[in-house]
């Protein structure tokens, strides 16, 4: 049984929503294969509202360098905004990637174009994926956060790395407080390279100097042409002797994942010199367990 994670608009918004890998998108994609790095269009075709950024002030470096987790939200009267909560907890995340603002944590992925103007974020029209959730509250969260953030929002960043806080005051007077989590680009000091990996459905025993019976991911690199069509695999299957940040292996599920590959500066002895961070799951397939002999 194949599980194709290819809902069109979800893949289209993934780069909007996951500026970093701290909170990478694993939403379903479309039936079209993803665009590889270096193609004319972004790998996920992320739409952007017709709002273009002016040259960013210095504070925007902090804004774009973090994924922002919603900690509290009150309306103009100081009352908690219940529609932004899930089971009494806040789970929404904001990320600023280029000219795109992304929101995740509700039912759908929500995104809009933005520009910075002094101490304000001017936010364009929101777009959303079209997944339906059984929990109606999650869909209400999508609508509520879009309504709160549209238009002109005043922002301020308090504190220093690695735990800054983002304070937002919306056009309607609501106040949102968010805590910053460094993106992978911030942590590793660069943009990283986009790589597609096919991950086998089963872990395999591999040698480890300290852990007996250690299990490794079994992977091979995948490539796509300029139209996003998968090319015939040329890479040999091999062990990946490290984890992919943000990726959880499920036995019996073969995945093709898009990851960011970063050089690790001054790694400890015997530690990897590169890091892999999940960007999104492109494709999934359920594979029957091998028959025991």
């Amino acid at each position: 049984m194949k599980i194709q994670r290819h809902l069109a608009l979800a893949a289209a918004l993934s780069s909007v929503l996951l500026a970093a890998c701290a909170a990478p998108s694993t939403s379903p994609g479309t039936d079209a294969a993803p665009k590889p790095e270096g193609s004319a269009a972004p790998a996920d075709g992320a739409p952007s509202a017709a709002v273009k950024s002016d040259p960013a002030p210095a504070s925007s470096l902090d804004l774009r360098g973090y994924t922002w987790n919603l900690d509290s939200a009150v309306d103009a009267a100081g009352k908690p905004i219940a529609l932004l909560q899930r089971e009494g907890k806040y789970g929404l995340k904001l990320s600023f990637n280029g000219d795109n603002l992304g929101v995740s944590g509700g039912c759908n992925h929500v995104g809009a174009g933005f520009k910075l103007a002094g101490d304000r974020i001017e936010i364009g029209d929101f777009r959303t994926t079209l997944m339906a959730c059984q929990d109606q509250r999650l869909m209400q969260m999508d609508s509520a956060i879009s309504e709160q953030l549209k238009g002109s929002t005043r922002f301020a960043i308090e504190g220093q790395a690695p735990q800054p806080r983002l304070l937002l005051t919306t056009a309607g007077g609501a106040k949102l407080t968010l805590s910053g989590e460094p993106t992978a680009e911030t942590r590793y000091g660069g943009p990283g390279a986009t790589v597609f990996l096919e991950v086998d459905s089963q872990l395999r025993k591999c040698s480890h100097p300290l852990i007996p019976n250690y299990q490794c991911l079994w992977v091979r690199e995948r490539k796509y042409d300029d139209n996003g069509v998968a090319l015939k695999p040329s890479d040999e299957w091999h062990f990946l002797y490290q984890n992919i940040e943000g990726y959880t292996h499920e036995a019996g599920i073969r995945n093709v994942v898009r990851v960011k590959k970063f050089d690790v500066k001054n790694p400890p002895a015997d530690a990897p010199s590169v890091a892999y961070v999940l960007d999104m799951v492109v494709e999934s397939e359920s594979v029957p367990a091998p028959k025991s002999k």
Side-chain angles (χ1 to χ4, degrees), residues 66-79:
Y66 292 81
T67 298
W68 300 98
N69 303 283
L70 183 62
D71 293 331
S72 66
V74 297
D75 61 21
K79 297 181 179 180

Side-chain angles (χ1 to χ4, degrees), residues 9 26 52-53 55 69 84 95 118 120 124 136 142 149 153 174 184 195 208 214 217 238 246 263 268-269:
L9 221 36
T26 56
K52 299 299 182 182
S53 287
N69 303 283
L84 297 184
S95 56
R120 292 185 177 273
Q136 294 296 312
D142 295 341
L149 293 178
T153 295
V195 178
H208 191 285
Y214 187 69
L217 295 173
H238 58 274
D263 291 328

Side-chain angles (χ1 to χ4, degrees), residues 219-231:
V219 306
R220 62 178 174 179
E221 187 173 350
R222 298 297 304 270
K223 295 184 181 296
Y224 298 82
D225 66 18
D226 290 341
N227 295 316
V229 177
L231 301 176

Side-chain angles (χ1 to χ4, degrees), residues 118-228:
D119 65 345
R120 292 185 177 273
I121 307 172
E122 306 292 343
I123 301 173
D125 295 333
F126 277 90
R127 286 95 180 271
T128 179
T129 56
L130 300 176
M131 294 181 291
C133 294
Q134 292 183 345
D135 190 341
Q136 294 296 312
R137 293 173 299 175
L138 298 183
M139 301 182 71
Q140 292 172 350
M141 287 174 66
D142 295 341
S143 298
I145 192 64
S146 300
E147 185 66 24
Q148 289 291 341
L149 293 178
K150 70 178 183 181
S152 181
T153 295
R154 182 179 292 111
F155 80 99
I157 297 175
E158 293 185 346
Q160 301 294 327
Q163 294 181 320
R165 290 199 313 160
L166 175 64
L167 308 180
L168 300 178
T169 303
T170 70
K175 296 183 183 300
L176 281 60
T177 303
L178 306 96
S179 55
E181 180 180 347
T183 65
E185 288 78 6
T186 296
R187 288 187 287 117
Y188 293 110
T194 299
V195 178
F196 293 87
L197 294 177
E198 182 177 358
V199 185
D200 190 62
S201 60
Q202 301 295 329
L203 298 175
R204 303 199 179 198
K205 183 179 178 180
C206 57
S207 61
H208 191 285
L210 300 176
I211 304 175
N213 299 317
Y214 187 69
Q215 301 277 306
C216 286
L217 295 173
W218 186 242
V219 306
R220 62 178 174 179
E221 187 173 350
R222 298 297 304 270
K223 295 184 181 296
Y224 298 82
D225 66 18
D226 290 341
N227 295 316

